[in-house]
Every structure is written in structure tokens, then in C-alpha cells.
Amino acid sequence: MADDFPRDRAHIHLRNNGIREAYRRPNQLIHAPPLPARDRASHAAALTQSIEQAVESARQQIAARDPQLSVGTPGFYLEIDLPMSGRAALDQLADRRRHMELVAVHEPTQPGAPITASVFLPQSAQAYYLRKVEAYRDVDTDRGRPRNEPLVSRMETVRLATARSLFTDHDDLFPQAADEQVWWEVWLRDGRRENFEHIAEALNITLRTHAVRFPERVVMLALASTAMLDRMIAHSDVVAELRRAKDTPSFFMGLGGAEQRDWSDELLGRVRPPQSDIAVCILDSGVRRTHPLIEPALAVEDWHTVKPAWGSDDTPAWSGHGTRMAGVGLYGDLVPLLVGGDPVPLPFRLESVRILPPEDEANDPELYGAITAEAIARAEVQAPERRRAIAMAVTSASPARGRPTSWSAAIDQLCFEEEQRRLIVLSAGNIGDDLMPAEHLTRNDLEAVDDPSQAWNALTVGAFTEKVDIIDTDFAGYAPIAPVGELSPRSRTSVVWDRQWPVKPEVVFEGGNLAHDGVLPGEPIDDLQILTTFYRPELRHFTTLGDTSAATAHAARMAGLILSARPELWPETVRALIVHSAEWTPAMRARIDACNGAKGEIQALVRRYGYGVPDLGRALLSTVNDLTLIVEDELQPFQREGGAAAKTRDMKLHRLPWPKEQLAALGAAQVELRVTLSYFIEPNPGERGWTRRHRYASHGLRFRVKSATETVDEFRARINQAARDEEEGAPAGGGEEWLLGTFRDRGSLHADFWSGSAADLAERDAIGVFPVGGWWKEKPYLERVDALARYALIVTIRAPGVDVDIFTPVEAALTVETSVET
């Protein structure tokens, strides 16, 4: 949902989710029929017993509350049944003077079933209904009728409310299992958003930050189980109503072509064409440029093909894959934009290069690297000064287990070229076979990423998912294969690779899920996919995309957004920011924490999940309790004097301007340090055994962080020893305190995590970056021994939950002091 969209847009959203007629027919007065005669005393007795039991359950619930979870006015929710004929009594269930509120009414779906109303009662009003019933039983009005008869005679049963009581959607949409996590619309009582966010964090409930505001309600999206919501309702007064989040692609996919066009045209009216010269370049099956949502961002001169005979357009041969990629790369998931009402500025333009042939042709496998290079050249010749992120979700099955191929090495060379460094985003590839639920994660760990995704310099993207809601009634009884926050069912990994090869994928983005009926293999139903643009808009405007293709398009979009905000950044730095901003989901983190520090198990999980799910806000911003320093620098790794063998030349020592006073004041409080080092290597892929002399990489870089007890001179000596140890094949030290240790040193991107006391971190005020060998050093006759190597270094300290400003003290002194050690 978009943040704070106007009431008329909310009306459109609800109207088109199946209750159109409810908004079209005129208001009608409903006259209740006369009440049936009933025995006054027996009704009062039964109702008194029901209320007393409910209130006693509420007292026990309040007494058992966890003080860390309890927020808001002390009280409880009651659920009250009334007959359909008793609708007029709904307004009498609450009393504003006593701060009692009618929060939700659930209409019956079966003939003869009661209306269910839920009311919040402050603890101070717990006897309210008992007094009403007592007066009904014992006191007559001046007209000889029982007092409170309009209310009490219509009340049938009272009980303590649960999350089910506040659910106002169709009964079939309520989850069957208490531990099943789904996305909810949580309708909050007025003024209680802050308390809701507090208790959601305490219960590990995932929230979307956007909200819709109405006069008495704020609506937010939350990922939670009914058990979690039951606890929230038992401990707080924040929730008014619960509904299933129904903004899924299946609604839009179920519309006819004309209706889809209406929604597309409305969104197009809010789209603002790009003003910058940043681009996301899609290498795929071509893009249908005439799609109304694509045309504002894709100029004719940026619409290319590697073979003129193919044309630049998308075709049925590839099911419109390139147009689907372009839609996600430009907009992300279309669903929240369609139901929103805000302007949609496009911060970057699109470029498209068709690299896939018509159905009756094929590319020779050995030419894939050349085709990729030709495609990129087409875009660059057209706009040579343009900054761009290049995305390719075209892969080929490979048994290489991490070894370079001509295609992956060509990607590495394209990234490295000194005159034109490039940011290239690749998909990890998908498992193509049918998948059963029991195979999830086992198959993923056994199925290695596709070629050319093993390229060292590219950002390789896997898929995870938060899509677990199945709303489409055609799939009632189906369940998602992947739990929320887990790897998407088809995403490939590098778990089975030989140890020396890089971690792939480095990150994961949303790639959707598969649904199963308990018998047949999983299938990609619309509810669990990403809504995007269809390549034949004359028929319909929307379709879906999933798996690592969708994830790669999401990653390219994030790269484009970073470049739009910081166009001066190097490609190595943008890659580093995406990885550095990533965090493991709670599901991933739970598996890593369960390893209890066992490095081998942690490393296998990192090869499955990469470094987690990136976040644009973390990539670009620092809060007062989150300080990030970015260094872009270079060094000369090697030198050769006369006829002597080449030797290591430079290291860089970066002195970090930590807020020592503030960190020291925190003392033993736990803080986190995260470091990411990113650079591009020049490949030398000839297969000659990958010995020291025949290495793939031109050079390697490593980082080490000064310990709290070391002097700077001692730190230099330790770095020199670490470089010698690695060159001699000795076990490298210095990783024991870090989550990943020296496992991080594979590839050309190195990231790791340290946690400890703030006082300890205050003295860890230097980072050394130093070279280790590569073919530049081992093969001086190739005349690259004097080449320079540039790198991006990103360092973040976090003090989660600590109310101390660590950002402001260094805001005016973010220049990192650097010295060259030869």
C-alpha cells in the first residue's frame, strides 16, 4: 500500500476487491423487526453467567501479562453475539464516557448465524455489562419495560475476544493453523501506532512502514501468525480490526483486458518520466517498448538488439521475459503502486538490448561471452557518458562448480576494463525441474548456480520470498512451499562448490513462491508472484514474474536508485553498498544462530543465502545510532626492480574517526561492526590447474582491523605476517573474533561481522587493506606487475537499542585518514 493515499483511492481499492456493489447501491435504512418474547429472568441469568466467565478470563489474562509487552490502557476485548434482527443494538455496546469502543463487527456468512461484535473495555469498566444486565433483570422503565431492554435483550453470548474475534473478512480467509504466518491488514485504534510498532518489534512481527490514515483508524501491513496476534490483543489495546492483506497479483490478473488498461492508465497518470541520465540496461529477449508503462522510460534510441535481423522487440518465443524484467526493473512490484495514489517519479531510464534469438535460431554456447560484450557495447556507443547498471537473467546450466568459464570470465573482464568499469547484475539461475515441498532447501543446496553467475566481479542475485498469502479461492487448500523469509523454492546456491570459489549469490531479493496442494509439485500461482508488465498490451497490461529473474530485476532497480542518488560512486562501491546493506531475515538468522559459532555450518548457510536481503535505506542513510564510512581508494599491489622477482609493494592503513568518547561512555554495551571490501580483478581463465603460478585473479586484497590492545606498529606487523602466510599457504589468522573469519577472503568481495563491547570497539580505530598474490605478480612478463588496484571499503558501526548519538560527533569529520605503507 502507498503511504497515506487519499480516501477516493482507498475507495477504488476496496471496490475492486470484490465488494463493488456495496459501494454502488444507495444507503438503505434497516428497520429491525419486533423482538421475540423471551423469559426475562432466564435470559438475564444466562447472560450474567456468560459475562462473568468472560470477565474472569480477562482478569486472568491481565494477571499473566508480560510487562515487556503490555502497552496502552489496561483492559481487554469482549466478543458479543447478536441476532441479525438485533443490529440496532450495535451502537449501544460502547460508551465513550467510559472509553469503551466498538472496534469490529463481523457479518455472518451463513443464514441464521449471529452478528459478532468486538468491544474494547478498559479495566475500570469491567462491570459495565453486568450492571446493564442487572438493571434489565430488576428495574422497569416508566413505560413498564425492562431497563436497558434494547441492548440486553439482543445480547446472546459474551466471551473473551481473540484475534479471530477481530477478523472481519470472509471466514475462509482466516488461517487454519495458529503458527501460519500471513500478511494482515491491521486496523489500529486512533493514536496507537507507536504502541503497535513497539509490541510488534517485541513479538518479532514484520511490518511494512507505509500506512493508510482515516479519521479514526490507521491501517498497516503486518506479517504475523494468529498466535502472535492473540498475544498482541491479550497485552494491548492497539488493534481495532484484522483483515487479510489482499493486494496480490491474482486480483489484477483476474481482470479483463479493458479493466487492466483502466488501472494501468490511472497509474500512468501519476508517472513522472526520468530526468537523469542514469539507466538500468536489460539484456534479455527484448522489450515491448510500446507498453504504456514502459514507454516513458525507454527511448527509441536506447532500444537495441545484437542482431538487426532479430529486431529489438519482445516475442512469444520467450514469453515476453524481457518486458517482464523491464517492468520489475523500473517499478518493482506493480501492486502497491496500482492501489496507491502518490506520484511515481522514475529516477532512471531504461535501456534494452535483445540478446535472445527468435525461436528458430540459437546462439552457439561458446559465443555467449561475445554476445554479452556486443550487447553492452551497443548501449555504450549510443550513450557513452551515461552511468548504468546492467542486468542479465539469461543463464546456462553448468557443471563447473564455481570454476570460471569463457562466459563468466568475459563478464569479469567487462566489469574490470580500466577505461570503462561496469556494474553487472546476474541471476543465480533457477531449478527447472518440478519441486515437491519436502525438497525445499535440500534441492537448493545441491543445485549449483548457473553459468555465468560464478563471475567474481558481477553481483549475483538469488531469490527469497515473503509471499505466503494465498487469497485466490481457486487455490483454497493450497499452501506455500517456502515459509516466509526463506529461500525461494527454485533459487540456486553455491553450497556444493569447491571451497576456494566465491560466495554466490551475494544477496537475495524477492522472487516469489510456489504453491502446492499436498499431492502435486509446486506451481507459481499469481498470488505468490510479482506483478509486472505484459509484452502484448493490446491484449492485457499485466502479467507476473518470479524466481531469480524477478530478484535480479529488483537488484538492478536498487542499483539504479543508488546511482540516481549518488551518481559519482564507482561500480565497485555500488556493489559493495548493496551487499553491505543486506541483512538476513529472521528465518535465515535463526538458522545461522543455531550453528552456535560453528564456522563450517555458518559458511554453508552464507553460500545459500549470501549476505541476506538488501535495503535501500540502509545503503544510503545513517541514523544517529548507525554510522557508515565509505572509502574509495587505490594502491599498487606489486612492484619489480630490475630482473628480480615481483614482490608486494603497498598496503593502506585507514585511521577511523570513531566517536571514542561516546563509545567509551557505553562501556560494556554490545555494538556491531561490519566491514565490506569490494574490488574488481582482471581474469586469466585458462585452465592450468589453478596453481599459485596459474591463478585466475590478477590480485587479491584483504582487510584486517586493529585490535583494541594493539599499537599501530604491532598492527602493521600483523598485517605483513598475514600477507606472508597467505602467500606461503599457511593458515591465515585474525578471523577468530569474526562471524565468517577468513572464509570471507574468497572472490573479490569480502564482508564480515564483529560484535563486542563499545569500549573495545572504541580502540579498534584502524583498518588495513593489503594485497596478496595473483597472476600480476606471478607472471611479470605479461607486464601488469605495476598496475594499480582500486577498491571500495565500507565500515559501519551500529549500537542497536542504545540511546546515544554516534553519528553527529563525526559528521563534520568523515574524511578517513589514510597512510600508504610500502
Side-chain angles (χ1 to χ4, degrees), residues 40 363 556 636:
R40 177 176 174 180
N363 296 324
Q636 182 178 328

Side-chain angles (χ1 to χ4, degrees), residues 576-725:
L577 281 170
I578 293 172
V579 173
H580 194 79
S581 73
E583 290 188 354
W584 293 301
T585 66
M588 299 172 189
R589 185 81 231 190
R591 294 184 184 277
I592 289 171
D593 290 343
C595 295
N596 295 318
K599 289 277 195 290
E601 295 177 27
I602 293 172
Q603 291 162 10
L605 291 171
V606 173
R607 286 194 175 277
R608 175 193 291 171
Y609 302 123
Y611 295 96
V613 184
D615 180 84
L616 181 66
R618 285 193 298 267
L620 294 177
L621 301 175
S622 282
T623 66
V624 294
N625 292 333
D626 185 359
L627 172 64
T628 297
L629 304 176
I630 301 173
V631 176
E632 292 181 324
D633 207 344
E634 65 181 13
L635 56 77
Q636 182 178 328
F638 314 114
Q639 66 179 2
R640 185 185 189 193
E641 297 177 356
K647 62 179 182 179
T648 301
R649 184 178 187 271
D650 295 342
M651 64 162 279
K652 287 287 182 78
L653 186 66
H654 300 283
R655 301 298 297 268
L656 302 172
W658 285 159
K660 289 191 174 184
E661 182 178 341
Q662 285 73 21
L663 290 172
L666 292 176
Q670 291 294 292
V671 294
E672 300 170 359
L673 172 66
R674 181 169 185 169
V675 179
T676 300
L677 175 64
S678 172
Y679 56 97
F680 291 161
I681 57 95
E682 184 177 10
N684 188 0
E687 172 62 87
R688 284 164 289 184
W690 310 115
T691 63
R692 173 173 166 173
R693 178 167 175 77
H694 299 297
R695 295 193 237 207
Y696 176 72
S698 53
H699 65 290
L701 298 180
R702 305 287 184 261
F703 73 82
R704 294 290 186 270
V705 178
K706 175 180 170 292
S707 72
T709 58
E710 282 181 313
T711 65
V712 172
D713 287 341
E714 289 171 338
F715 180 44
R716 290 193 190 99
R718 178 161 66 88
I719 289 176
N720 288 331
Q721 185 61 50
R724 286 193 297 270
D725 288 345

Side-chain angles (χ1 to χ4, degrees), residues 89-383:
L90 288 172
D91 290 340
Q92 302 176 51
L93 289 172
D95 189 330
R96 291 189 61 187
R97 296 169 301 173
R98 292 172 172 81
H99 305 289
M100 297 168 53
E101 183 180 357
L102 174 66
V103 292
V105 175
H106 184 71
E107 299 282 353
T109 56
Q110 299 295 327
I115 298 173
T116 302
S118 297
V119 182
F120 178 78
L121 277 73
Q123 202 166 1
S124 59
Q126 61 183 300
Y128 178 82
Y129 292 123
L130 287 172
R131 286 196 293 266
K132 291 285 186 181
V133 175
E134 182 180 356
Y136 165 81
R137 183 191 65 203
D138 299 336
V139 180
D140 289 340
T141 67
D142 293 341
R143 297 185 178 183
R145 302 297 300 171
R147 179 166 290 182
N148 304 323
E149 182 184 30
L151 170 64
V152 177
S153 65
R154 292 173 168 90
M155 296 172 64
E156 293 187 341
T157 305
V158 179
R159 53 191 168 271
L160 187 64
T162 63
R164 185 67 180 83
S165 310
L166 304 184
F167 186 69
T168 58
D169 256 336
H170 194 281
D171 292 336
D172 291 344
L173 295 179
F174 195 81
Q176 297 300 307
D179 59 351
E180 179 186 356
Q181 292 197 23
V182 299
W183 284 102
W184 304 84
E185 284 184 6
V186 183
W187 293 61
L188 302 175
R189 298 178 68 206
D190 194 28
R192 289 163 173 83
R193 178 174 175 173
E194 185 176 347
N195 285 346
F196 170 67
E197 291 173 338
H198 167 80
I199 194 170
E201 181 179 6
L203 292 172
N204 292 320
I205 292 174
T206 301
L207 302 181
R208 292 284 188 246
T209 56
H210 299 305
V212 183
R213 291 181 175 83
F214 298 105
E216 295 182 293
R217 295 289 184 259
V218 173
V219 185
M220 297 185 69
L221 291 182
L223 179 68
S225 65
T226 54
M228 292 174 173
L229 294 176
D230 281 337
R231 292 197 70 196
M232 176 177 287
I233 290 163
H235 283 80
S236 70
D237 65 342
V238 297
V239 180
E241 182 180 346
L242 296 169
R243 303 181 190 180
R244 283 290 291 271
K246 294 182 284 296
D247 292 337
T248 68
S250 62
F251 165 69
F252 295 99
M253 293 295 289
L255 299 176
E259 292 176 295
Q260 285 193 3
R261 176 180 288 276
D262 289 343
W263 282 91
S264 178
D265 288 348
E266 195 283 330
L267 173 58
L268 184 62
R270 294 183 278 119
V271 168
R272 304 293 180 262
Q275 302 300 312
S276 74
D277 202 33
I278 303 299
V280 167
C281 181
I282 306 292
L283 311 185
D284 210 280
S285 62
V287 170
R288 181 59 55 90
R289 185 184 162 273
T290 55
H291 193 294
L293 294 177
I294 298 294
E295 193 170 5
L298 179 56
V300 173
E301 58 268 23
D302 295 325
W303 194 39
H304 308 287
T305 177
V306 293
K307 290 188 178 181
W310 293 353
S312 302
D313 212 349
D314 211 344
T315 68
W318 304 98
S319 302
H321 191 269
T323 306
R324 291 188 282 162
M325 287 284 294
V328 177
L330 187 59
Y331 294 102
D333 193 337
L334 281 174
V335 170
L337 298 182
L338 289 168
V339 302
D342 295 334
V344 182
L346 302 179
F348 52 81
R349 64 184 67 242
L350 284 178
E351 297 172 331
S352 169
V353 188
R354 180 172 173 176
I355 63 171
L356 293 176
E359 195 168 19
D360 58 348
E361 294 186 28
N363 296 324
D364 292 333
E366 69 271 19
L367 296 180
Y368 286 171
I371 290 171
T372 306
E374 171 68 16
I376 293 172
R378 298 268 178 169
E380 291 178 346
V381 167
Q382 161 59 30

Side-chain angles (χ1 to χ4, degrees), residues 558-587:
M558 181 174 177
L561 291 170
I562 292 173
L563 283 172
S564 298
R566 300 285 302 276
E568 77 283 358
L569 293 177
W570 296 345
E572 300 96 319
T573 310
V574 177
R575 178 178 72 150
L577 281 170
I578 293 172
V579 173
H580 194 79
S581 73
E583 290 188 354
W584 293 301
T585 66

